[in-house]
Amino acid sequence: MIKMHTDLIQAFMQYKPLLLKDTFPSAAVMVILLLNEKNEFDIVLTKRAPTLLTYAGDYSFPGGMRDDMDADLYITATRETAEELGLPFTSYEYIGQLDDFEDRFGHLVRPFVVVMPKKDFEQRHKKSEAEVTQLYYFPLRKLHL
């Protein structure tokens, strides 16, 4: 799909994440890398609606809690991304996974990394007003990797 930045994408693909013990409940998030018009990556963050029960008004990655019907946490991440941003899993390319971490309640969170052109994201996404009030594009170059 995206031929540029092969070194970065290869690093994500080859990375062996630290996995933590499953918790109940557990969650998954999607780190969406968008290749922008400057040939750089932006990361999508969502501002959560103020009416939500947890993390109301916080900026976060798309994602959420695992449902009983989710076969695994990647399914959780793709389902939540579709619910929050209207993006089907066919609109982005899976490239890897990052280290598990615990949220402030001690629940496992598993981050997955996907990539897509920013122009495609801007044309295809449709945020859920009930869950997301705003999108923010964070330039990956600001992370000083």
Side-chain angles (χ1 to χ4, degrees), residues 27-32 44-49 52 54-55 58-67 75-89 92 121 124-136:
V29 295
M30 195 71 81
V31 179
I32 305 172
V44 177
L45 296 171
T46 62
K47 184 172 184 184
R48 293 176 50 85
L52 294 173
T54 56
Y55 304 105
D58 287 356
Y59 282 93
S60 65
F61 294 113
M65 302 308 284
R66 183 176 187 171
D67 283 351
I75 297 295
T76 301
T78 60
R79 177 183 51 76
E80 288 285 342
T81 299
E83 289 174 11
E84 293 175 20
L85 298 176
L87 288 177
F89 73 93
Y92 45 78
F121 176 84
R124 294 181 184 174
H125 87 278
K126 182 171 174 39
K127 63 183 173 67
S128 165
E129 299 297 328
E131 295 190 50
V132 177
T133 61
Q134 185 180 1
L135 293 179
Y136 179 72

Side-chain angles (χ1 to χ4, degrees), residues 12 14-20 96-100 110-111:
F12 279 119
Q14 294 173 0
Y15 184 71
K16 302 291 184 215
L18 171 67
L19 301 179
L20 299 178
Q97 185 176 321
L98 300 175
D99 292 346
D100 289 352
R110 182 158 294 154

Side-chain angles (χ1 to χ4, degrees), residues 4 14 16 18 33 35 37 57 65 69-70 74 91 108 110 120 132 140:
M4 303 301 202
Q14 294 173 0
K16 302 291 184 215
L18 171 67
L33 298 178
L35 187 62
E37 64 283 349
M65 302 308 284
M69 296 177 9
D70 295 341
Y74 183 67
S91 61
L108 168 73
R110 182 158 294 154
D120 290 353
V132 177
L140 186 63

Side-chain angles (χ1 to χ4, degrees), residues 1-2 5 9 16 28 59 78 95 104 121 123 128 132 143-144:
M1 174 195 269
I2 294 179
H5 302 287
I9 290 173
K16 302 291 184 215
Y59 282 93
T78 60
I95 59 169
R104 66 181 177 201
F121 176 84
Q123 291 171 353
S128 165
V132 177
L143 288 179
H144 304 289

